[in-house]
Amino acid sequence: MHIELYEKIWMWIGASIIVLFLGSILVGAMTAAIQPPSHIETVDPTALSKHPEFAAGSVRKDPDGRVVVSVVATMFAFGPDPIEVPANQPVTFRVTSGDVLHGFEVVGTNANAMAIPGYVSQFTITFPRPGEYVVACHEYCGLMHHAMVGKLIVK
Ligand code: CUA
């Protein structure tokens, strides 16, 4: 089969771009902890007010010493607010929603998850720098979406 030179060049360019994109996903996953969530846990979004963990959104220390923050996002606030966590220590966030789809992003860090009604999004992150951070909702959730902000205090 005869393939024109220009066609060969463009096929190589196309294949190289695919390899480049796949490589950038791999590098991001391995060096910057940019990974799709793999935690699947369901929760009844209509019964969060009676849920043993999410009823009073909290920051707690588990018996094994890890810090766990349970967050409920509802129109148009996060609970608890403010959230206080220690610096230089892994913090596990468990985020869910009581109504519609929200986002949970700690601005300036790569703490970023979706708050999905019916599911618990979980991720663990360490904050090296103490200070006050803005927690923003990054999924359009209604008329006051732009005002849905919280505060994270790293001590
Ligand atoms: Cu909650 Cu946008």
Side-chain angles (χ1 to χ4, degrees):
M1 186 174 65
H2 175 74
I3 300 173
E4 293 292 331
L5 175 65
Y6 280 129
E7 199 167 349
K8 274 188 194 158
I9 290 171
W10 282 111
M11 279 163 63
W12 276 109
I13 291 174
S16 305
I17 289 173
I18 291 170
V19 169
L20 187 79
F21 286 176
L22 289 177
S24 72
I25 292 171
L26 216 69
V27 168
M30 291 165 83
T31 63
I34 300 169
Q35 292 147 359
S38 56
H39 176 85
I40 298 177
E41 182 184 339
T42 54
V43 64
D44 181 0
T46 61
L48 287 179
S49 59
K50 293 182 207 94
H51 192 277
E53 179 185 347
F54 290 105
S58 65
V59 181
R60 65 181 188 281
K61 218 170 189 159
D62 271 7
D64 60 0
R66 69 181 187 145
V67 178
V68 180
V69 185
S70 305
V71 181
V72 176
T74 43
M75 287 188 269
F76 296 98
F78 297 99
D81 185 29
I83 299 168
E84 263 189 52
V85 296
N88 294 310
Q89 207 174 316
V91 178
T92 299
F93 284 89
R94 291 168 51 75
V95 185
T96 191
S97 164
D99 39 41
V100 299
L101 190 67
H102 297 276
F104 179 87
E105 180 187 7
V106 181
V107 177
T109 73
N110 68 348
N112 189 329
M114 306 255 282
I116 306 165
Y119 290 88
V120 178
S121 302
Q122 179 173 303
F123 63 93
T124 301
I125 188 169
T126 302
F127 298 104
R129 283 190 309 275
E132 283 192 15
Y133 296 81
V134 172
V135 178
C137 174
H138 59 66
E139 295 288 340
Y140 182 75
C141 53
L143 282 179
M144 293 299 287
H145 160 71
H146 63 282
M148 185 164 171
V149 287
K151 192 193 279 182
L152 177 89
I153 302 166
V154 179
K155 283 190 165 169

